[in-house]
Amino acid sequence: MVIAATVMQKQNAETTQIGGTGQQSLEDARELSGSQILCEALVREGVELLYGYPGGAIMPFYDALTEYSTLRHVLVRHEQAAAHAADGYARATGKVGVCVATSGPGATNLVTGLATAYMDSTPIVAITGQVARHFIGRDAFQETDVIGVTQPITKHNFLVRKIEDLADTVREAFKLALGGRPGPVLIDVPKDIQLSKTQYSLSASVNSRECYRVTRTPEVSTVAIAQAVKLINKAECPIIMSGHGVILSRAYDELRAFAEKTNIPVITTLLGLSALPDSHPLNIGMPGMHGPAHVNKAIGTADVLIGVGLRFDDRVTGKVSEFAPHARIIHIDIDPSEMHKVKVATVPIVADAKDALAALTMAVNPADHRSWINEIRSWETRNAELASNVKRDQQYPDPTSILEAIRAETNGEAIIVTDVGQHQMWTARHYTWSRPNSHITSGGLGTMGFALPAAMGVKMGIPDTPVWVVAGDGGIQMNIQELATLQQQGVTIKVAIMNNGYLGMVRQWQQFFHSRNYSETPITGPDYVKLADAYGLTGMCITRREDVSAAVHKAMETEGTVIIDFVIESESNVYPMVAPGSAITNMIEEHVEENSSHD
C-alpha cells in the first residue's frame, strides 16, 4: 500500500489541481482516511447538497462528514426519497445530484430512484456503504450485491477495491454522470476502505479511455445535416417533435430559432414540455396516448418528422407501424443506441441537440408553412368546440381550475413537479408552460411517490423559485413521510393533491377496458389537514370549485409548506386517450364517450 500510495503521489504531483490554483507538490499530500478522501473528492466536485440516510456500513463516512461544513447533508426519511430528491435537484440545476445510503436494505431502497433517473437521463451519483472486503460474498449482515442489482439501471457502477482508487473513482463517476447522455452512477465503498488511511493530495489522475468514450460529445456530421436539409426544404407538412434532450442540453433558443426560420409547427413530449412556451404560435401541443387529437392527427399526416432528443417512447408512438406512416424521419439524439431502435430514421444525426439544431438553422432555407399550420389549428378548433358541449360537474374543484389558479397566482414562474397518474396528464395537458424547464416528472419509469421528494430537491437547488407539487391521493402517500424532512429542513413547497378516492389512472383503464371492474383501486387516505398539522405544517381541504383560487392564494401567502386537499369528482377521466396497441390517431374522446353514454 505504501508503494502504491507513493506512485499515486508522483502521478498527482505532475498534474494540475482540480478546482485549485496551480500545481500540487508532494508536500501537499496528507494522510487521510477513506471517508475523509471521499468528502474531499465531493468538495472538489463542487457538491453542495447530499441526500441520505446513515447506517452501519456507511457510518465512517458520516463520521467524517461533520468535518466538512460546505457539504450540507439532508436526512431523508426513506432512501428512495434521497434518490428522488437528488434527481429533482439535478433536473432543476443541471448539476449532479448526490444521494447516500448504507449497505443492504439502504442500498436496495435506492433502486427505484436510480431506475427513475436512468430512464429519464438524470445525472446522479449514488454512494453506498458496503460490508468490509473480507466479508463480501459471505452473506454478511446487511450485505447485498448492489453492483449486480444496479448494473441494468445505472450508466456505470464501481466497487472500490483499493483506497488509492477512491478519489479518482469519484472524479470519474461525476464525469460519467454528466457526460454524453446523462445518467446515474453508483459508487460502492466497503467499510474497511472508509476506515483505512493513505496519502492524499487534491490533484486528480483520471485518464480513462472508457470515461472519455462515454462522456465525449459527438460532433455533428455535415453529411447528415446536408441530407436533413434536403428533406426539410422540400417538406410540405413537416413537424418538429421536441423531447427531453432539448431540456437537458438547454437548447431552448436553438429550438425556437430553427422553428421560426423554417415555420414548422412544434410538438413537445411529456418530458419536453416547457422547452418552447405554450404561447408561441408554432407550439401545437403534446403528442401520444393523452395528447390532443389535432396533434396526433398532424403526426399521422406529416411528410417529414424531425425528432430532437427523444426515444420514440411507446406512450408517444402507440402502434409503431402506424406512427407517422407518411413521414420520413430525421432523428437527432446524443445516444447512438437510440437510432432505429423504435422507428427507422431516414437521416440519423448523432449529436447534442443544441449543436444539431444550430447547424440545421444555419443550413436550411426560410419557409412558409402557414397553410399547414392553419389546417392543424382548424382541427384544434373543431375538437375544442365538440369538447365545450360536454356537460361537466360544476360542484367539485376540477383539475383545470386548480392548474389555472396555480399559474395565475405564480405568474407562470413556478416549477411544477408532478407525480404519476391522471393528475400528471391533466397537468401536462392543461397547465400553460412558459418558463423553460418548469415541468419535472417521472416519464420513462412512471414512478408514483416521485413528486414530493423530487420537489424538495428542486426547491433546495433553486430556492428563490416557487415550487408546486401536483399529486394524486395514491402517489402522495408513497413518500408522504418526507413532510417531516421538509419541516426539519425549513423547505417551503406547496402541494396540491387531486383527491378522487381512487388510483385514478388504473380505475380509468378498468372503466374502459375491464367493464368497470374497479378491483383494488378505491383508496382511502388520512385527513390531510390533521396530517399537515401533525408535521407542523399547514393544511387545507377544498370541496367547492368556487374556493379554489382563494385556497391557492392563501397557500402562496402562508409561510412554509402547505398541503391542499382538493376533493375532485371521483370518476373524472383524462381525455383523449389511446387504447393500448392502437394507432395514436384512433382516440377515445370525451364528446364521443359522453354522447354514447346517453344513447
Side-chain angles (χ1 to χ4, degrees):
M1 182 177 290
V2 174
I3 294 174
T6 303
V7 172
M8 179 183 172
Q9 292 169 35
K10 289 180 178 178
Q11 290 174 337
N12 288 343
E14 296 172 358
T15 59
T16 303
Q17 177 182 345
I18 303 298
T21 57
Q23 299 290 325
Q24 285 290 309
S25 66
L26 291 176
E27 286 73 20
D28 291 316
R30 298 171 290 158
E31 185 177 68
L32 297 178
S33 69
S35 295
Q36 291 171 315
I37 291 171
L38 189 51
C39 291
E40 293 276 352
L42 293 173
V43 170
R44 183 181 63 187
E45 296 301 325
V47 173
E48 301 167 336
L49 278 169
L50 306 90
Y51 298 91
Y53 204 98
I58 196 67
M59 201 177 300
F61 169 74
Y62 276 88
D63 185 56
L65 191 60
T66 58
E67 303 171 26
Y68 295 86
S69 59
T70 60
L71 295 175
R72 179 182 177 184
H73 181 271
V74 176
L75 177 65
V76 296
R77 300 310 190 260
H78 192 285
E79 292 91 348
Q80 180 183 339
H84 291 326
D87 190 326
Y89 173 86
R91 295 198 205 198
T93 64
K95 302 175 184 178
V96 176
V98 181
C99 54
V100 185
T102 193
S103 64
T108 58
N109 281 344
L110 292 177
V111 166
T112 298
L114 293 176
T116 302
Y118 184 72
M119 291 287 281
D120 290 347
S121 303
T122 306
I124 287 177
V125 169
I127 299 168
T128 52
Q130 183 55 274
V131 299
R133 285 172 292 178
H134 59 278
F135 283 127
I136 292 176
R138 298 185 180 183
D139 294 330
F141 177 68
Q142 290 194 332
E143 180 194 358
T144 297
D145 177 12
V146 69
I147 297 298
V149 168
T150 61
Q151 190 171 21
I153 55 168
T154 53
K155 191 174 178 181
H156 197 76
N157 55 24
F158 300 90
L159 172 61
V160 181
R161 299 182 182 276
K162 297 188 299 182
I163 187 174
E164 294 83 3
D165 296 337
L166 183 54
D168 286 353
T169 299
V170 173
R171 178 64 169 159
E172 187 166 2
F174 275 79
K175 284 191 173 188
L176 285 166
L178 272 177
R181 178 178 179 171
V185 178
L186 182 136
I187 308 171
D188 200 30
V189 189
K191 186 173 184 177
D192 59 318
I193 286 181
Q194 297 174 53
L195 291 167
S196 58
K197 294 185 177 182
T198 192
Q199 296 294 314
Y200 169 81
S201 69
L202 285 175
S203 303
S205 59
V206 170
N207 185 22
S208 167
R209 290 184 180 181
E210 180 183 9
C211 181
Y212 173 76
R213 177 177 58 80
V214 176
T215 62
R216 71 183 179 88
T217 301
E219 295 181 4
V220 181
S221 166
T222 55
V223 173
I225 292 295
Q227 292 172 341
V229 166
K230 286 183 180 179
L231 292 181
I232 294 167
N233 286 343
K234 293 179 180 179
E236 295 182 1
C237 300
I239 286 282
I240 299 168
M241 184 182 292
S242 173
H244 195 203
V246 175
I247 302 282
L248 291 171
S249 65
R250 304 298 196 258
Y252 314 120
D253 292 341
E254 289 76 11
L255 174 65
R256 180 194 290 263
F258 175 63
E260 290 178 348
K261 183 175 182 181
T262 57
N263 198 31
I264 297 176
V266 179
I267 57 181
T268 50
T269 67
L270 176 66
L271 289 177
L273 290 172
S274 76
L276 185 71
D278 283 2
S279 59
H280 194 285
L282 291 174
N283 190 332
I284 61 171
M286 184 183 78
M289 178 174 281
H290 295 292
H294 71 276
V295 174
N296 289 340
K297 187 174 181 178
I299 294 171
T301 308
D303 57 1
V304 171
L305 188 151
I306 306 151
V308 189
L310 47 77
R311 54 190 179 85
F312 294 109
D313 178 79
D314 61 289
R315 292 298 174 99
V316 167
T317 64
K319 188 177 182 180
V320 175
S321 62
E322 296 185 32
F323 176 80
H326 310 296
R328 286 174 288 183
I329 293 175
I330 300 166
H331 189 185
I332 301 168
D333 201 283
I334 199 169
D335 185 352
S337 69
E338 292 298 336
M339 296 300 165
H340 315 301
K341 189 171 77 174
V342 177
K343 291 291 291 186
V344 175
T346 307
V347 181
I349 302 176
V350 179
D352 180 79
K354 193 179 188 76
D355 298 337
L357 286 170
L360 284 174
T361 304
M362 289 287 291
V364 294
N365 297 330
D368 184 355
H369 293 293
R370 278 178 293 180
S371 61
W372 167 229
I373 294 168
N374 289 339
E375 184 175 13
I376 296 172
R377 293 300 185 189
S378 70
W379 301 335
E380 181 182 20
T381 300
R382 178 178 177 276
N383 290 328
E385 289 174 351
L386 291 171
S388 67
N389 294 325
V390 176
K391 294 181 180 179
R392 294 181 174 85
D393 172 82
Q394 296 296 316
Q395 175 184 352
Y396 293 103
D398 72 302
T400 304
S401 67
I402 296 167
L403 297 166
E404 287 175 348
I406 292 171
R407 175 169 171 80
E409 193 64 37
T410 61
N411 296 315
E413 287 300 308
I415 292 182
I416 310 298
V417 186
T418 62
D419 219 84
V420 173
Q422 287 180 311
H423 66 277
Q424 179 189 35
M425 293 298 106
W426 283 320
T427 305
R429 282 289 318 280
H430 300 299
Y431 192 83
T432 304
W433 307 102
S434 55
R435 174 183 176 136
N437 197 25
S438 56
H439 173 248
I440 292 175
T441 195
S442 170
L445 197 64
T447 305
M448 293 176 68
F450 170 83
L452 190 64
M456 175 169 59
V458 170
K459 183 65 176 181
M460 296 183 79
I462 43 174
D464 295 332
T465 301
V467 176
W468 274 83
V469 165
V470 179
D473 49 324
I476 195 67
Q477 295 187 67
M478 286 194 169
N479 272 312
I480 202 165
Q481 73 285 339
E482 298 311 314
L483 291 174
T485 312
L486 290 165
Q487 195 278 334
Q488 182 178 7
Q489 296 293 327
V491 177
T492 294
I493 63 173
K494 312 302 179 182
V495 181
I497 302 171
M498 294 189 183
N499 186 350
N500 57 12
Y502 281 102
L503 299 176
M505 189 61 85
V506 183
R507 183 213 58 76
Q508 179 170 331
W509 279 49
Q510 289 172 332
Q511 175 183 334
F512 290 152
F513 312 122
H514 297 277
S515 304
R516 293 183 182 266
N517 181 19
Y518 295 160
S519 174
E520 299 304 322
T521 46
I523 187 171
T524 62
D527 181 325
Y528 291 101
V529 176
K530 291 181 179 178
L531 183 73
D533 184 63
Y535 279 114
L537 306 173
T538 302
M540 291 181 271
C541 181
I542 305 301
T543 59
R544 300 187 306 171
R545 183 177 302 187
E546 61 197 65
D547 297 330
V548 168
S549 294
V552 172
H553 177 75
K554 183 178 179 181
M556 290 298 295
E557 293 293 311
T558 302
E559 185 177 350
T561 292
V562 177
I563 301 127
I564 311 178
D565 177 16
F566 289 107
V567 180
I568 67 172
E569 199 277 319
S570 61
E571 292 191 86
S572 293
N573 287 325
V574 178
Y575 290 104
M577 180 180 182
V578 177
S582 297
I584 58 170
T585 51
N586 182 21
M587 310 193 76
I588 301 169
E589 298 187 60
E590 184 177 21
H591 59 86
V592 175
E593 287 294 299
E594 288 293 323
N595 291 337
S596 64
S597 68
H598 297 293
D599 290 344

